[in-house]
Amino acid sequence: MVHFAWLDYFWTIAYLILMIGCGAIFYKLGKRSGSDFFLAGRGLPWWLPATSNFATHTATDTPMWFSGLVYQKGLYGMWYSLFAGWCAISAWVSTRIFRRSLAGTQAEWQTLRFSGLGSEMLRGWIAGWQVAMTMFIAGWVGIAMGNVCNYVFHWPLWYGLVIFSTLCCLYVIASGYWGVIIADVQQGITMLIVIVLVSIWAAIAAGGPAEIVASLKQMGQEEMLNPFRSSGFISGDYPLLWMITMIAVPFLGGFGMATHFDWFVEAQRIQSARNVRDASYSIWWGTAVVLVRNSIWALAVLALFVISKGNFTAEESQLAWFIIGFKYFPVGMVGFFFAAILAIHISTVAGVLNLGSMYATRDLYHHYLKPKATEKEVVWFGRLMTVVVLLGSFFFGLMIGKNVIDWLFFALWLMVAGTWLPNILQVIWWRFNAWGYLSAWIANLGICWLVVWILPAFGIIPELPDYQQFWLLIILVAVIYVPVTLLTKPDDMDRLVKLYVQTRPIGFWGPVKREAERRGLLKALHEFDRKAAEQDQ
C-alpha cells in the first residue's frame, strides 16, 4: 500500500475540486444549445482541441498496455503506438473533408456521404455502435483506474471504477463539451509535466541513460534497444510482417475515416474547431505530442526493467509506469502524481461520456425520435444520456476486470479490421455505396468472432497471431462487401455532386467531378476559394 502524507491528500482533493468546478464555471455556456453542449459552438482555436486530443488519448489504460509491451518487448513494442500515425495523415486529408461537411458526428456523415434508405440505416447503425463503444471504452479506462487504486490503496477493483468516473460525470453533465475541452487543457499540461518527471526520476534511479544501456547489455537484453529487430518474415516473436502491418495500416488508413479505429474522439474535436485549418492543426499537433509522449514513457519503462532485473510478471509489468511514480517520488510529489493519474483518467472518461451522449442525442433522439425538439430538450436529453453511458461503462468495466490488454486488441483492432478498407473507400471512391459499407460492418462483426475465437476453439483453423488475423479479416470481409457494392445501385448523383463540391474529396471521383463541371459548380467553387484566400491574407 502506498503511503500518503497530508500534502499528498491536498493535491488529490484540490485537483478533484478543480475538475468539478469546471462544470460550475461553464454551466451557462453548456446549456445554451445542443451545439454548445456537444461542440462548444464550433468556434475553438486549434490549440484547444489539439490539447484535448492529447489528453483524451492519454487514458489510465494507456500507460498500462504501453508499459506491458515495452517491458516485455523493448522498443519493438512501441510499434503498436504508431497507430497514432492514422491521425497524423488524416490531419491533411480526411480531417479537411470531414470538417467541410459540417457533419456533427460520423453517424451524421453517413447521411451526407450516402443517399436513400441505406444512408439512414447506416446513421442509426453507427450511432448505436458508438454509444455501445463509448460505454465499453469508458468502462475499460475505468477498470484500469480500478487496477491502479487496487495497487495504491488495496481497494476492490470496482471502487476505482465507480468513484472517479462518477465524479467526472458531474462536470460533464453540468457543462457538456465546454467543461470537457477547458478541463482537458490543464489536464493535458499536468499529465505531460508528470510524464516527463517520472521518466527523469526513473532514469536517475537506474543510474542514468548510459547506465540503462550498459545494464541491458550486461543482462543479455541488448535487443530491447532495437525497434527494428526481426526473427523472420512471419516466424518467431518478432516477424517482419507484423512490423509492416503496424506501419502500413495506420498510414494508409489516414486517407479514410474510421469510426473509432484510432479516429474516435477526433471527429468531435474536428467539428468543434473554428475552421478547416484549425481542425487540421488540432489533429496534427495532438498526434505529435502523443508520439513524443510515448518515447518519454519508453525511457521510464526500460529504467524499471533494469531496476527490477526483468523479473516482473506480465500483470506486474502493466503497472511499471505507476510503480515508478509511487515508489520513487518523494512525499508530497506522490499526491501530485496521483492527481496527474486522475487527470489522465478524467480527461478520457469525460470526453467519452460526452461523445456517447452526443451520438445518442443528435443521431438517435433528435434525428429519428424527436426532430422538432427544442434546444433545451436536446441539452436535457444529452445530460440524461451522459448518465446512461456512465452506467453502461460500469457493466463493461466489471466484465473486463484485470484483462485490459487482451480486450484492447480485440475490441479496438480486430473487431473493426474488416472495415479498415471501407473506411478509406468511402472517401476516395465515388462508387462505394451505403449498402457496401453497411454489409462490411455486419460481415466483420460476425467473421471476427469466427476467426478469433470460435473456429480456433473447434480446431477448424489454427490460432493465428493478431496481425495475421487482421489481414485475413480484410480479405474475408471484402469478399462480401465488394460484390454487394457492385450489384447495388450507385448513390444518387445529386447527393454525390453536392458532397463533392462541399467537401472536395480525393481519389476516384471522375464521373462526379465531370457532372459538377457540367453544372458550372466548380467554377463557382474556385471563385469562392479565391475570395476566401484573399480575406485570410
Side-chain angles (χ1 to χ4, degrees):
M1 184 172 177
V2 177
H3 175 69
F4 268 49
W6 70 269
L7 186 57
D8 298 311
Y9 284 111
F10 166 79
W11 286 118
T12 302
I13 294 171
Y15 192 80
L16 289 173
I17 292 174
L18 178 63
M19 288 302 93
I20 298 174
C22 285
I25 294 171
F26 292 94
Y27 171 74
K28 288 186 178 180
L29 290 179
K31 75 174 185 176
R32 292 188 306 188
S33 67
S35 178
D36 281 292
F37 192 80
F38 294 120
L39 294 172
R42 294 182 188 256
L44 300 179
W46 68 268
W47 55 272
L48 280 173
T51 309
S52 180
N53 268 326
F54 164 70
T56 304
H57 275 296
T58 308
T60 327
D61 67 287
T62 317
M64 291 183 70
W65 66 260
F66 188 83
S67 295
L69 288 169
V70 174
Y71 191 94
Q72 296 167 41
K73 298 178 178 292
L75 297 183
Y76 188 88
M78 291 182 66
W79 288 110
Y80 275 104
S81 65
L82 195 63
F83 268 90
W86 188 306
C87 299
I89 300 298
S90 76
W92 310 110
V93 185
S94 52
T95 290
R96 292 173 175 269
I97 296 168
F98 184 67
R99 181 62 181 86
R100 292 186 189 113
S101 76
L102 297 179
T105 65
Q106 285 176 288
E108 184 178 350
W109 159 263
Q110 309 306 317
T111 54
L112 299 176
R113 166 60 180 87
F114 304 110
S115 59
L117 176 62
S119 69
E120 291 295 339
M121 293 178 66
L122 262 174
R123 182 169 185 172
W125 171 273
I126 296 298
W129 171 265
Q130 292 284 40
V131 172
M133 282 306 301
T134 50
M135 290 179 180
F136 174 83
I137 292 175
W140 166 28
V141 174
I143 203 62
M145 190 66 190
N147 279 276
V148 172
C149 291
N150 177 260
Y151 169 77
V152 177
F153 305 116
H154 293 177
W155 288 355
L157 289 179
W158 70 270
Y159 278 29
L161 165 68
V162 172
I163 292 173
F164 297 110
S165 292
T166 302
L167 290 174
C168 167
C169 186
L170 294 178
Y171 81 79
V172 180
I173 290 174
S175 57
Y177 188 66
W178 274 110
V180 171
I181 203 79
I182 299 301
D184 274 355
V185 172
Q186 58 83 23
Q187 287 164 346
I189 294 171
T190 300
M191 65 180 67
L192 185 59
I193 291 172
V194 170
I195 287 170
V196 172
L197 289 176
V198 169
S199 290
I200 292 174
W201 248 264
I204 293 173
E211 183 60 29
I212 293 173
V213 173
S215 297
L216 288 172
K217 292 179 179 179
Q218 187 178 9
M219 296 166 63
Q221 298 291 341
E222 186 176 1
E223 66 174 8
M224 294 188 71
L225 299 171
N226 180 15
F228 298 100
R229 64 184 183 273
S230 173
S231 56
F233 188 71
I234 60 172
S235 60
D237 294 331
Y238 308 102
L240 182 60
L241 181 58
W242 180 86
M243 188 187 303
I244 292 173
T245 303
M246 292 299 107
I247 297 173
V249 170
F251 283 101
L252 291 176
F255 289 91
M257 295 183 192
T259 48
H260 74 266
F261 195 22
D262 237 55
W263 211 58
F264 185 55
V265 297
E266 280 75 13
Q268 191 178 17
R269 294 346 181 231
I270 289 167
Q271 292 298 355
S272 68
R274 60 189 173 190
N275 54 41
V276 174
R277 183 181 62 181
D278 282 67
S280 296
Y281 285 2
S282 72
I283 299 300
W284 172 260
W285 287 108
T287 303
V289 180
V290 166
L291 295 174
V292 171
R293 174 207 71 188
N294 293 343
S295 62
I296 298 172
W297 264 344
L299 173 61
V301 177
L302 291 177
L304 187 63
F305 184 90
V306 169
I307 295 170
S308 64
K309 306 298 181 184
N311 291 326
F312 279 6
T313 64
E315 187 174 301
E316 290 171 332
S317 68
Q318 294 182 50
L319 294 171
W321 185 74
F322 299 99
I323 291 172
I324 294 166
F326 286 123
K327 189 172 182 179
Y328 292 99
F329 271 2
V331 173
M333 282 295 292
V334 172
F336 187 74
F337 177 61
F338 187 70
I341 294 173
L342 290 177
I344 289 172
H345 174 73
I346 290 174
S347 64
T348 302
V349 172
V352 171
L353 290 179
N354 185 254
L355 182 65
S357 172
M358 183 179 184
Y359 278 102
T361 304
R362 287 181 63 105
D363 296 298
L364 297 178
Y365 171 73
H366 199 191
H367 182 67
Y368 290 111
L369 300 179
K370 198 170 183 181
K372 296 183 180 180
T374 64
E375 294 294 337
K376 183 177 180 180
E377 289 174 325
V378 168
V379 172
W380 178 87
F381 193 81
R383 287 174 172 156
L384 174 65
M385 291 310 301
T386 303
V387 177
V388 172
V389 174
L390 174 72
L391 296 176
S393 75
F394 295 158
F395 168 78
F396 282 111
L398 294 173
M399 179 181 71
I400 294 168
K402 290 182 175 290
N403 200 11
V404 176
I405 291 181
D406 288 346
W407 275 102
L408 165 73
F409 296 121
F410 179 69
L412 294 192
W413 196 29
L414 295 175
M415 205 158 69
V416 290
T419 64
W420 173 73
L421 188 54
N423 285 330
I424 301 173
L425 292 176
Q426 66 170 319
V427 174
I428 69 171
W429 188 31
W430 76 276
R431 182 61 179 81
F432 189 62
N433 62 19
W435 300 112
Y437 196 34
L438 186 60
S439 65
W441 268 97
I442 297 173
N444 186 79
L445 285 179
I447 294 174
C448 74
W449 283 90
L450 288 172
V451 169
V452 179
W453 303 107
I454 299 174
L455 296 182
F458 286 94
I460 299 174
I461 63 172
E463 189 171 333
L464 301 171
D466 52 12
Y467 66 95
Q468 293 183 18
Q469 291 172 338
F470 183 88
W471 291 111
L472 179 59
L473 285 168
I474 287 177
I475 295 171
L476 293 177
V477 176
V479 170
I480 295 175
Y481 70 75
V482 170
V484 169
T485 301
L486 298 177
L487 292 173
T488 52
K489 293 181 179 180
D491 284 297
D492 178 68
M493 184 56 72
D494 288 339
R495 175 66 56 83
L496 292 172
V497 167
K498 179 182 178 181
L499 179 84
Y500 185 85
V501 173
Q502 181 177 357
T503 67
R504 289 158 253 179
I506 62 171
F508 308 100
W509 287 79
V512 181
K513 181 181 179 180
R514 288 191 291 271
E515 179 61 21
E517 288 174 339
R518 189 188 68 81
R519 299 182 185 186
L521 297 175
L522 292 188
K523 183 178 180 180
L525 177 63
H526 294 325
E527 181 65 20
F528 175 83
D529 287 342
R530 185 186 64 79
K531 291 182 179 179
E534 290 176 353
Q535 290 177 355
D536 288 339
Q537 293 174 356

